[in-house]
Amino acid sequence: DLAWVRRHVDVPIAADESIRRSGDPFRVVQAEAADLAVIKVAPLGGVRRALELAQRLEIPVVVSSALDTSIGLSAGVVLAASLPDLPYACGLDTGTLLGADVVDQPLRSSQGVLALDSARAILLSDALRESDVDSEARKELRDSGWIERVELMIENLA
């Protein structure tokens, strides 16, 4: 359907879910169904996997996010900075839509720009806000087995 739309309109078509949810993200390119691809770090398995996909797609990409905290947005900024060509504006300034963030100094744009140095600092720090997650909530997470499940998922992704 996307290929049909692209042939019948004079505006560039961006593929988002057609890339992210597809078993074969290259199918969109092969069908000439989009002019550009929307790449999101978290659903694609991290910065490295998103970068590998972006490099292989053979169409321009836009790095975007959902409603991510500064941690997710920072990963998107790092991905965007890693791309050799970025002809379109990215969709990474959604942090202001959140009522609070999980870091002490949230990533915020200045004149529409998110600073790479600030994003890297967030990703390399352990600046998670302790006050937002009390020790009882942490104990519940640990006792419920969620931490072990996440660690197991990380091991299987590596």
Side-chain angles (χ1 to χ4, degrees):
D1 293 340
L2 201 55
W4 182 91
V5 170
R6 185 172 180 247
R7 287 191 305 272
H8 289 88
V9 298
D10 292 327
V11 296
I13 299 295
D16 187 347
E17 279 76 16
S18 301
I19 300 285
R20 182 171 50 91
R21 290 184 168 181
S22 174
D24 180 6
F26 303 101
R27 188 168 170 224
V28 170
V29 176
Q30 293 162 348
E32 298 180 355
D35 298 288
L36 57 137
V38 178
I39 302 293
K40 295 177 180 165
V41 173
L44 292 173
V47 173
R48 181 170 289 135
R49 288 185 178 173
L51 179 60
E52 289 169 359
L53 177 62
Q55 291 171 331
R56 294 179 55 209
L57 277 173
E58 300 176 3
I59 59 175
V61 300
V62 169
V63 180
S64 187
S65 71
L67 293 175
D68 289 335
T69 66
S70 290
I71 294 171
L73 296 175
S74 294
V77 170
V78 169
L79 171 61
S82 301
L83 294 167
D85 188 31
L86 201 59
Y88 299 97
C90 296
L92 293 170
D93 199 14
T94 58
T96 57
L97 300 173
L98 301 175
D101 209 316
V102 296
V103 297
D104 291 323
Q105 295 185 356
L107 185 65
R108 294 292 183 253
S109 66
S110 174
Q111 298 180 348
V113 175
L114 293 168
L116 178 59
D117 289 342
S118 298
R120 283 186 176 143
I122 287 171
L123 293 175
L124 295 174
S125 76
D126 50 353
L128 289 178
R129 296 178 65 162
E130 294 291 331
S131 61
D132 286 352
V133 180
D134 64 25
S135 61
E136 188 61 33
R138 289 173 191 253
K139 183 179 180 322
E140 286 180 30
L141 277 175
R142 187 178 58 248
D143 291 348
S144 70
W146 279 108
I147 292 173
E148 289 80 14
R149 290 179 188 144
V150 170
E151 289 172 348
L152 182 60
M153 289 181 344
I154 291 169
E155 287 176 20
N156 288 322
L157 288 174

